Amino acid sequence: MDIIADVLERNGLLFAFVVVGALMMISGWLSKTLTRGRLQGSGIAIMLGLVLAYFGGINTGGEAGMADIAIFSGLGLMGGAMLRDFAIVATAYGVDLQEIKKAGAAGVLALLAGIVVSFVVGAAVAAAFGYTDPESMATIGSGAATYIVGPVTGTAVGASSEVIALSVAAGLIKAVVVMVGTPMIAPFIGLNNPKSAMAYGGLMGTTSGVAGGLAATDKRLVPYGAMTATFYTGLGCLLGPSIFYFALVGLFG
C-alpha cells in the first residue's frame, strides 16, 4: 500500500484525472438510472464534488478539500486557475466567426443586461441579509455574476474573507442551477441555434454552468455560449471593482 500511495502522490495530476473521470462515470450512471436523464450527470458531478470537498476539509482540517489529502493533491492543480482558464480559452477554437457576427447588438445587449441584473440582485440580497457596506455588497453582487468575479472584486475593494467566501458560494449555486436548468428550459426559449446560445451565455454569464448546460442540450452550441460567458467574466472583473463599486459608494456611502 505504501508503494501504491507513493506512486499516486508522484503522479498526482494523472490520478486527479482518473478520480474525476470515475466521478463523471458514476454521475452519468446516476443520471440515467435515478432521474432518467432529467438531472444531468454534470450537475450531479458538481454536487458530489462539493460533498467530497466538504468531508475532505473536515477530515484534514485544511482549506483545499480533498487536495489536502496527499494522494489527491493533484486535484488542487487540476481544479486550479491555470487549467480552468486554459479550458475556458480552448472553447473559443470551436467557434465559427460568421455565427458570432450574426449575434450583433443582441449579443452585446445580453452581455450587459446579464451583468447588471446579476449584480443588482446579488447586492440587494446582500443588503437584505445585513451586509450593507459598499465593499460587501459589491463583492456578493459580483459573486452573483460568477464565482470568479466575486473574489476578484472582493480582493480589490478590501472585503473580508467571510464575504469573499459568500460570493464564491453564490456563484457556485448559480453555476449548478444554470447547468441543471438549461436543458429543461431550452425548448421553451428557443435555445437551439448559435445566436440564441450566445445571447444565453451573455445573460447567464457563468462559463461552467452555461457550458455544462449547453453540453446537455446540444454539444454544438457549447463554444458559442461559452464564448460570450467568458466575455461576461472578463467584463465583470472590470466593472465589479470599479463602476459598480463606486456606484454603491455613492448610493450607500
Side-chain angles (χ1 to χ4, degrees), residues 11-24 74-75 78 83:
N11 298 276
L13 182 58
L14 211 61
F15 185 54
F17 276 97
V18 173
V19 172
V20 172
L23 186 64
M24 289 300 299
L75 291 170
M78 185 182 179
L83 288 181

Side-chain angles (χ1 to χ4, degrees), residues 208-228:
S208 55
V210 168
L214 289 178
T217 304
D218 186 342
K219 293 181 180 179
R220 295 172 296 180
L221 301 179
V222 172
Y224 303 100
M227 172 63 75
T228 46

Side-chain angles (χ1 to χ4, degrees), residues 62-122:
E63 298 179 353
M66 293 290 289
D68 284 320
I69 301 174
I71 62 172
F72 297 114
S73 59
L75 291 170
L77 176 59
M78 185 182 179
M82 180 180 69
L83 288 181
R84 179 202 66 206
D85 293 343
F86 174 78
I88 291 173
V89 172
T91 60
Y93 288 93
V95 168
D96 184 343
L97 292 178
Q98 295 303 316
E99 294 292 348
I100 289 181
K101 292 178 181 178
K102 293 179 183 178
V108 175
L109 183 61
L111 193 63
L112 293 174
I115 293 175
V116 172
V117 171
S118 294
F119 184 86
V120 170
V121 171

Side-chain angles (χ1 to χ4, degrees), residues 26-48 176-184 212 216:
I26 294 171
S27 300
W29 178 81
L30 290 173
S31 172
K32 294 178 182 178
T33 305
L34 300 181
T35 72
R36 296 182 180 179
R38 291 186 178 87
L39 183 59
Q40 298 303 314
S42 50
I44 295 175
I46 285 182
M47 289 185 278
L48 290 178
V176 173
V177 170
V178 171
M179 184 177 294
V180 174
T182 298
M184 299 179 184

Side-chain angles (χ1 to χ4, degrees), residues 115-138:
I115 293 175
V116 172
V117 171
S118 294
F119 184 86
V120 170
V121 171
V125 171
F129 280 89
Y131 294 93
T132 54
D133 59 288
E135 291 77 14
S136 296
M137 293 176 68

